[in-house]
Amino acid sequence: MRKAVIYTGFFLLLVMLFTQCDHKKGKKPVEREYAEAPAFDADSAFAFVKAQTDFGPRVPNSEAHEQCAKYLQSALSQFCDTVVLQKFTATAYNGTKLQGTNIIGSFAPEKTRRVVLSSHWDSRHVADHDPDPANRNHPIDGANDGASGVGVLLETARQLAQKRPDIGVDIVLFDAEDYGTPEGVHSPEGEWWGLGSQYWAEHPHVADYRADYGILLDMVGDANAKFRYEHFSSEYAQDILTKVWSAAAKLGFGKTFVAERTHPITDDHYYVNTLSNVRMIDIIHQDDYSGTGFPPTWHTLNDNIDHIDKNTLSIVGKTLLYVIYEEK
Ligand code: AHN
Ligand code: ZN
């Protein structure tokens, strides 16, 4: 009788040991896959966002814009192998001549296999969607609309510098994305958004520039961010959308990256896709319930650092790093 109890106990112990091992074995492949990518530090990304908004609105032709360009150049210089400032003059919807600068940091510029990561670094000259009409001609901080994407890319650059991926990477910070025609204002026919990306697409920073694909970040800092398959991204580069959204799903971010098609946005990726030979997707926060199609702070004075969520920055940064380190 006692022997039977001892045998049963021993048997149960063996079963427990085996199921434990099995459990660990089942988990390991995912851990091993992810171990390739370095950690993404959300506090650091947030600090990179705040450093930009601390300059104030980064509207082309302003002092804050000029100071921020210097900051971004020096930040990228710490991490990248090369940094190029691409200066251009663009005419805005109202005839204003904008002095623009696209800022481009490269890792391993000699490699042919490469990916381009982008975001716009300027902020909008007017809060034309602010609920208070008195605020609508004030410039915005653009913490989400501009600085969030750049913050994620600066932290990504910091990680790439510490652990080199197999492929080359270009970080292209577009200027003058957000100087488009304000709501209710009449302007001549023309393409008034994405002035910096239009320039870069037609005048790449190196001759015969090519990349395997591109990823644009726009508004990646809201607490309730949801990213779907934006229409133009899907038309030009559905395979890249699938790659990125699958990576997010593997990391457990399926609630933020939802594999569902949604309507077109005229963003920097539109000009890259139509005017250059690089195929680029847009990771952009679209909202069906806010009334504008974008998050509630969009083009309002509320688009400030108080509405930036570290967790969203982290989800986007970890997904990006995963995708980059998967490329061989
Ligand atoms: C349109 O509203 C057509 N495009 C806006 C793209 C944008 C503005 N992204 C951020 N700010
Ligand atoms: Zn905007």
Side-chain angles (χ1 to χ4, degrees), residues 10-87:
F10 187 63
F11 177 74
L12 279 175
L13 200 76
L14 274 178
V15 168
M16 276 166 67
L17 271 172
F18 269 103
T19 49
Q20 271 251 319
C21 285
D22 221 55
H23 178 70
K24 274 187 190 154
K25 261 188 213 154
K27 265 203 160 163
K28 207 140 196 186
V30 179
E31 281 171 16
R32 213 185 302 130
E33 264 178 78
Y34 188 55
E36 292 266 332
F40 182 90
D41 185 334
D43 293 317
S44 172
F46 182 87
F48 284 131
V49 177
K50 186 167 183 300
Q52 296 167 76
T53 57
D54 281 350
F55 287 105
R58 282 100 44 231
V59 176
N61 298 350
S62 73
E63 178 63 21
H65 181 263
E66 198 166 313
Q67 291 308 314
C68 188
K70 285 185 189 149
Y71 164 74
L72 294 173
Q73 175 185 17
S74 96
L76 282 180
S77 301
Q78 285 182 56
F79 310 131
C80 300
D81 297 319
T82 61
V83 177
V84 173
L85 293 192
Q86 183 178 57
K87 302 228 178 235

Side-chain angles (χ1 to χ4, degrees), residues 228-262:
R228 289 175 288 170
Y229 291 163
E230 178 275 333
H231 176 90
F232 291 131
S233 307
S234 180
E235 289 293 298
Y236 287 97
Q238 179 58 48
D239 54 323
I240 308 308
L241 285 175
T242 305
K243 184 197 289 261
V244 174
W245 266 246
S246 305
K250 273 189 204 155
L251 296 172
F253 305 145
K255 283 211 156 63
T256 307
F257 283 82
V258 179
E260 187 177 282
R261 268 186 84 150
T262 184

Side-chain angles (χ1 to χ4, degrees), residues 50-325:
K50 186 167 183 300
Q52 296 167 76
T53 57
D54 281 350
F55 287 105
R58 282 100 44 231
V59 176
N61 298 350
S62 73
E63 178 63 21
H65 181 263
E66 198 166 313
Q67 291 308 314
C68 188
K70 285 185 189 149
Y71 164 74
L72 294 173
Q73 175 185 17
S74 96
L76 282 180
S77 301
Q78 285 182 56
F79 310 131
C80 300
D81 297 319
T82 61
V83 177
V84 173
L85 293 192
Q86 183 178 57
K87 302 228 178 235
F88 63 92
T89 304
T91 304
Y93 66 91
N94 55 4
T96 305
K97 299 284 180 204
L98 303 176
Q99 299 307 320
T101 308
N102 293 327
I103 306 167
I104 302 133
S106 298
F107 290 93
E110 74 286 355
K111 288 191 176 168
T112 48
R113 285 230 53 208
R114 48 200 316 107
V115 166
V116 52
L117 309 175
S118 298
S119 204
H120 74 90
W121 73 269
D122 62 306
S123 73
R124 186 155 175 74
H125 59 310
V126 286
D128 49 338
H129 283 92
D130 199 280
D132 182 350
N135 291 338
R136 292 184 191 153
N137 53 13
H138 293 300
I140 69 170
D141 280 352
N144 193 30
D145 190 357
S148 67
V150 174
V152 167
L153 294 184
L154 290 178
E155 172 58 10
T156 300
R158 197 175 73 89
Q159 297 299 336
L160 295 177
Q162 287 173 37
K163 182 183 175 186
R164 294 310 189 100
D166 286 348
I167 56 165
V169 175
D170 300 294
I171 294 182
V172 180
L173 307 181
F174 294 123
D175 198 358
E177 186 276 336
D178 228 351
Y179 213 99
T181 313
E183 193 66 37
V185 170
H186 182 77
S187 70
E189 272 302 305
E191 298 291 332
W192 306 119
W193 301 93
L195 300 176
S197 53
Q198 293 186 52
Y199 187 85
W200 180 79
E202 288 175 332
H203 311 87
H205 63 288
V206 291
D208 302 318
Y209 178 75
R210 60 158 299 287
D212 294 282
Y213 59 88
I215 302 175
L216 175 69
L217 306 182
D218 197 2
M219 297 184 271
V220 294
D222 190 278
N224 301 312
K226 192 169 97 175
F227 308 115
R228 289 175 288 170
Y229 291 163
E230 178 275 333
H231 176 90
F232 291 131
S233 307
S234 180
E235 289 293 298
Y236 287 97
Q238 179 58 48
D239 54 323
I240 308 308
L241 285 175
T242 305
K243 184 197 289 261
V244 174
W245 266 246
S246 305
K250 273 189 204 155
L251 296 172
F253 305 145
K255 283 211 156 63
T256 307
F257 283 82
V258 179
E260 187 177 282
R261 268 186 84 150
T262 184
H263 51 268
I265 304 296
T266 310
D267 207 343
D268 290 319
H269 73 310
Y270 173 77
Y271 298 108
V272 172
N273 281 310
T274 54
L275 302 175
S276 87
N277 55 19
V278 176
R279 298 184 311 125
M280 182 178 273
I281 65 160
D282 195 5
I283 300 180
I284 181 169
H285 181 175
Q286 294 177 265
D287 181 334
D288 296 338
Y289 305 102
S290 66
T292 63
F294 298 115
T297 61
W298 183 71
H299 294 184
T300 76
L301 295 191
N302 280 325
D303 183 4
N304 58 38
I305 196 71
D306 298 339
H307 294 94
I308 294 297
D309 183 60
K310 283 181 190 175
N311 187 50
T312 303
L313 300 177
S314 171
I315 287 171
V316 174
K318 284 175 177 162
T319 302
L320 266 192
L321 284 175
Y322 185 97
V323 168
I324 293 164
Y325 286 85

